[in-house]
Amino acid sequence: MNLLTALARLLIFPGILFAIPAAWFFLWVERKSVAMMQGRIGPPFMQPFYDFIKLLGKGTPPRTGIVGGLMRAWPLIAVSTAAGAVGLLPVLPSSGGFQGDLILLLALLEVPSICIIAAGFTSRSIFGEIGSAREAVLSVSYNVVFLLAIISVAASQHTFRLEALAQAPATPLRWVGILAILICLPAKLHLNPFSLPNAEQEIYSGPMVEFAGPELAMWELSHGLEWVAATGLVATLIAPQMAFWGLSALVFVALSFGIVLLLSALAAATARLAIDTTVRFYWQCTIIFAVLAVSSALFMRLRS
Amino acid sequence: MRLWDRLMCYCRKRSPWLFHLNSGSCNGCDIEIVAALAPRYDAEQLGVRIEGSPRHADILCVTGPVTKNAVCAIKTVYGQVCGPKAVVAIGSCPATTNVFIDSRTLDGPLGKHIPVDVFVPGCPPRPDAIIEGVAKAAEILAQRGSKPIEPVLTDEPANAEVQA
Ligand code: SF4
C-alpha cells in the first residue's frame, strides 16, 4: 500500500501525469500574460505542446563521442530531476511510504541549473560558455538567499520533513521566509530581471545555443517542470491544510497559478539587469533580509 | 504511426520559429520584421517566435542583398539550421538585389547561394506580408517534413561550427 501511494504520487499527482501538462500550461501562462501586458493577443493555448512535438521531430546536428553523449544526457537528467522534485511536493496528505525531505527536494531543484551550466561548457560554443559562467555566478548569488530562507522556514517549524512543514500553521516568521523565496524564484527560473544566462540578443540564448530538436524539447520541458516545482514549493508552504484531498489539490493548483501570474507580470514589466547589478542585488540587498529571517527563527527557537 | 505523422505535420505548421539573418540589409526590412512581432501585427498568435540561435529555428528569414562578406555567414547559418527547414527571403533585396544591383560589393541575389522557398517582395514589405510569407513557409515546412528526403542543395558542405 505504501509503495502504491508513493508510486501514485510520483507518476500521477503531483508527479508526471499532472506535472507535464501543468508544465506546458505554465509555459503558456507565462507567454500569454507577457503578451497581454504588452497589448498583444499572444500564443494559442496549445502552443507549448505544439512546440514540444515539433522539436521532437526535428533533426540534431551530428555529434559523436563523449560530447554527443553528454549533450544528450544533460537535458534528460534535468527533466528527470525536475519531475522528481515535483513528485516530492507534499500536496496530498500522505499515508506513509517514502516522503523525502526538504533537503532532497532542494537538491533535486538544484540539479537542472547545474545541468545547464555543464551543458553550456559541453557545447564548446563561446556563447554557451559565457551563458554558463553567468548562470554559475547567478546561482551562487541567489542560492545563498534561497537556502537561508528555506532554513529559516524549517527552523521556525523545527523540522526538515516536507509533510510537517506543509501542515504547520503560517507564522509571521514563515511569511518572511516565503517572501525571500519568492524574490529568488525569478533568478531560479531565468525570468526577466535576472534572465541573463539565456539572453537571446547578446549571447544567442546562452547555454542552449548548440542544442536542437529533441534535446531542446527536453530543455523546454525541464524549464516547465521547474516552474511547477518552484511555484509548487511556495504553494505548499502557503496553502492552508484541508481535510479533503481534492480540495487541497485544487488550492495547490490555484496558488501555483497565482504565483505564475505574479512572476510573469514581473517579467513583463522589467528589463534584463546586468550581471553585476544582479549579484549586488542578491548579495547586498536581499541577503540582509534572509539573514534577518534566519536569525529571528533561531532566536525564537532558543527562546522556546 | 499515421496519426503521429499527422500530429507532427500540424505542429510544424503551428510552431514556426524564426532566425533572422541580415545579409547587408539597409535595416528597413529588419524593422518590419520587428513590427510583425510587435502588438499591432502580433505574429506570436501563429506560434511565431524569434530565436537567438539558428540551431533552434525552423525558418531562416534573410534580409538584404547578400554582400560578399555575408556569403560565408549565410552558408554557415543555413547549415546550422536543423532539418526540416525553410528559407524566406524578405524584401526585394534578396530576390533581385534591388537598388544595389551592379554594386561591386555584392554577390547576390540570395537564390545563388541557398535554396529559397518563399519570396516576400517589397521595399520594405509590409508586416502583414511578412507574416503571410512565414505562414506559407510553415506550410511548406510541414509538407517537407513528412517526406523522407531532405532538400540539401548547397554545393559546399556548410561549416557546422559556431565561429566566435
Ligand atoms: S528591400 Fe528595401 S528596405 Fe529591404 S533591405 Fe532592401 S533596400 Fe532596404
Side-chain angles (χ1 to χ4, degrees):
Chain A
M1 194 58 205
N2 279 349
L3 190 68
L4 265 185
T5 35
L7 262 184
R9 277 178 55 162
L10 197 61
L11 294 181
I12 300 171
F13 188 88
I16 299 188
L17 205 67
F18 162 77
I20 291 180
W24 287 330
F25 177 63
F26 284 178
L27 287 177
W28 174 76
V29 171
E30 178 195 357
R31 281 172 74 177
K32 180 80 175 177
S33 50
V34 169
M36 283 172 72
M37 281 188 69
Q38 292 173 348
R40 295 188 285 124
I41 294 177
F45 180 67
M46 298 286 279
Q47 192 60 48
F49 173 73
Y50 297 150
D51 291 347
F52 184 78
I53 299 288
K54 177 208 73 177
L55 285 174
L56 284 187
K58 267 182 86 72
T60 44
R63 299 190 198 100
T64 48
I66 188 148
V67 171
L70 281 176
M71 295 276 276
R72 276 184 288 277
W74 294 127
L76 287 180
I77 299 173
V79 166
S80 41
T81 48
V86 177
L88 273 185
L89 292 176
V91 183
L92 307 180
S94 92
S95 46
F98 177 71
Q99 288 163 9
D101 55 9
L102 199 54
I103 299 175
L104 180 62
L105 181 69
L106 288 183
L108 287 178
L109 269 180
E110 205 38 47
V111 174
S113 76
I114 294 174
C115 284
I116 289 177
I117 297 171
F121 284 117
T122 312
S123 72
R124 291 224 188 113
S125 150
I126 181 108
F127 303 111
E129 285 170 14
I130 297 174
S132 286
R134 286 181 177 190
E135 167 75 25
V137 170
L138 189 65
S139 122
V140 167
S141 329
Y142 75 75
N143 260 334
V144 176
V145 180
F146 189 68
L147 293 182
L148 279 179
I150 295 269
I151 290 170
S152 81
V153 170
S156 67
Q157 241 84 59
H158 297 219
T159 176
F160 270 116
R161 281 191 45 239
L162 285 169
E163 204 74 19
L165 277 177
Q167 274 160 13
T171 53
L173 241 182
R174 188 167 161 149
W175 281 108
V176 178
I178 289 171
L179 214 64
I181 297 175
L182 269 180
I183 293 175
C184 296
L185 283 193
K188 208 164 183 53
L189 297 170
H190 307 138
L191 293 180
N192 217 346
F194 314 116
S195 64
L196 24 81
N198 48 356
E200 300 91 2
Q201 291 87 358
E202 320 151 32
I203 51 169
Y204 299 107
S205 55
M208 304 295 117
V209 70
E210 278 292 308
F211 288 89
E215 298 156 358
L216 189 64
M218 288 300 143
W219 281 123
E220 292 272 316
L221 185 62
S222 93
H223 181 56
L225 288 173
E226 273 186 281
W227 264 105
V228 181
T231 54
L233 173 65
V234 180
T236 46
L237 288 178
I238 301 177
Q241 206 52 39
M242 301 283 166
F244 178 53
W245 69 267
L247 205 61
S248 57
L250 215 69
V251 168
F252 168 76
V253 174
L255 277 174
S256 310
F257 180 67
I259 297 163
V260 173
L261 276 186
L262 187 78
L263 293 180
S264 317
L266 177 78
T270 50
R272 185 175 299 138
L273 293 177
I275 186 84
D276 52 337
T277 324
T278 308
V279 171
R280 212 174 302 131
F281 173 75
Y282 278 115
W283 279 99
Q284 289 183 354
C285 314
T286 325
I287 202 164
I288 299 171
F289 196 51
V291 167
L292 210 73
V294 139
S295 51
S296 45
L298 292 178
F299 179 67
M300 295 287 273
R301 188 164 172 187
L302 284 182
R303 249 189 22 178
S304 66
Chain B
M1 215 46 214
R2 267 191 59 75
L3 189 72
W4 173 254
D5 285 342
R6 275 172 52 195
L7 178 69
M8 182 65 76
C9 189
Y10 186 71
C11 290
R12 283 202 175 112
K13 215 183 303 175
R14 297 304 300 269
S15 155
W17 289 7
L18 314 182
F19 183 75
H20 169 212
L21 180 65
N22 180 334
S23 71
S25 132
C26 77
N27 221 13
C29 290
D30 311 81
I31 291 174
E32 298 302 314
I33 293 180
V34 175
L37 293 161
R40 183 175 289 265
Y41 295 96
D42 190 20
E44 203 184 6
Q45 287 174 56
L46 301 178
V48 174
R49 211 165 106 169
I50 287 260
E51 280 298 314
S53 159
R55 289 268 193 240
H56 305 178
D58 309 295
I59 297 177
L60 198 58
C61 287
V62 187
T63 57
V66 189
T67 58
K68 279 184 178 154
N69 271 346
V71 172
C72 173
I74 288 175
K75 286 186 177 165
T76 307
V77 170
Y78 183 74
Q80 283 171 341
V81 179
C82 297
K85 57 188 163 190
V87 177
V88 183
I90 290 172
S92 301
C93 276
T96 61
T97 62
N98 203 11
V99 290
F100 306 107
I101 197 161
D102 288 340
S103 162
R104 60 205 158 79
T105 58
L106 290 189
D107 191 9
L110 181 66
K112 250 168 76 180
H113 306 291
I114 56 172
V116 181
D117 296 289
V118 180
F119 287 97
V120 183
C123 181
R126 286 184 62 81
D128 29 17
I130 294 178
I131 293 173
E132 195 187 345
V134 168
K136 279 215 176 101
E139 300 244 336
I140 293 173
L141 195 71
Q143 301 301 325
R144 182 170 291 163
S146 58
K147 291 199 195 101
I149 307 155
E150 280 278 312
V152 183
L153 296 177
T154 40
D155 31 357
E156 296 160 44
N159 181 6
E161 285 299 307
V162 170
Q163 303 287 332

